[in-house]
Amino acid sequence: QTCALPISLGFARPFLKDRIAPPDPEGSAVRTVILVDASASMRRPDLWKDAVSRVSLLLNEARPLDEVALLTFSREVRGVFRFDEWKSAQVDQRASLAIGRLKDLEPDWASTQLGAALVRAAETLAEADSGAAATRRRIVLISDFEEGARLEILQDRKSTRLNSSHT
């Protein structure tokens, strides 16, 4: 079974803390990177289909001011739908365009480099921060959390704080 895990980024030492993220104030924009595990373990029956369904729900919940980017990862991180594509698309077509691209993909046979994927997602958020209106940033991780997922790279990231909420 897959799990969606929102991860908010700050500026302190790395740690994980289980909590439910507070709701966003009405009218505030949220910038979200959806990070989808596309490693070999996601080839197990129904995992990829479940992941795509979860992404579809998240994309359809996005409000007009929100910004969303969609990435997949296994050994490498791949951009599926960028923030600039999301912003330039018609509001009523954004979710279907992004999910259409994800549906064209399937998990590969590579291992899971979760740590590197989280770092790239954080970088994607940081790169999008120049002058944008979003008040909250988050990473939503959709994965089966395979036991061999590699997180070592996070030990080198002293400026990243990870708060997680399980949904």
Side-chain angles (χ1 to χ4, degrees), residues 12 25 36 49 55-56 62 78 80 82 89 96 112 121 132 150:
V36 183
K49 181 179 163 188
V55 171
S56 182
R78 293 169 299 282
V80 177
R82 299 182 317 266
S96 62
T112 307
R150 301 189 55 115

Side-chain angles (χ1 to χ4, degrees), residues 29-32 59 62-70 81-95 97-98 101 124-134:
V30 179
R31 183 175 298 115
T32 302
L59 292 172
R63 300 170 300 180
L65 292 177
D66 293 344
E67 300 172 14
V68 179
L70 179 59
F81 206 80
R82 299 182 317 266
F83 284 123
D84 64 320
E85 293 175 301
W86 181 268
K87 290 188 282 190
S88 67
Q90 295 291 325
V91 172
D92 62 343
Q93 296 176 0
R94 292 171 171 171
L97 289 170
R101 288 198 192 160
T124 299
L125 283 171
E127 291 165 3
D129 274 346
S130 57

Side-chain angles (χ1 to χ4, degrees), residues 4-156:
L5 177 67
I7 301 175
S8 301
L9 298 171
F11 301 100
R13 295 178 55 96
F15 74 95
L16 292 174
K17 180 180 176 184
D18 290 335
R19 67 179 179 86
I20 301 224
D24 297 307
E26 190 68 32
S28 67
V30 179
R31 183 175 298 115
T32 302
V33 173
I34 301 174
L35 189 57
V36 183
D37 186 347
S39 65
S41 64
M42 294 295 288
R43 288 183 165 273
R44 292 179 301 193
D46 294 327
L47 284 182
W48 184 250
K49 181 179 163 188
D50 186 41
V52 171
S53 293
R54 288 175 184 265
V55 171
S56 182
L57 287 171
L58 288 166
L59 292 172
N60 284 304
E61 289 173 355
R63 300 170 300 180
L65 292 177
D66 293 344
E67 300 172 14
V68 179
L70 179 59
L71 309 174
T72 61
F73 72 97
S74 57
R75 185 178 305 128
E76 296 180 7
V77 180
R78 293 169 299 282
V80 177
F81 206 80
R82 299 182 317 266
F83 284 123
D84 64 320
E85 293 175 301
W86 181 268
K87 290 188 282 190
S88 67
Q90 295 291 325
V91 172
D92 62 343
Q93 296 176 0
R94 292 171 171 171
S96 62
L97 289 170
I99 201 65
R101 288 198 192 160
L102 186 63
K103 285 181 176 180
D104 287 342
L105 304 175
E106 62 181 34
D108 57 30
W109 292 100
S111 61
T112 307
Q113 298 288 330
L114 178 55
L118 287 169
V119 168
R120 182 63 196 128
E123 291 169 350
T124 299
L125 283 171
E127 291 165 3
D129 274 346
S130 57
T135 58
R136 183 164 162 230
R137 302 173 298 161
R138 69 180 182 158
I139 296 170
V140 179
L141 173 61
I142 298 177
S143 178
D144 62 348
F145 294 98
E146 168 195 17
E147 188 173 323
R150 301 189 55 115
L151 294 168
E152 295 85 6
I153 194 169
L154 294 178
Q155 297 302 319
D156 298 332

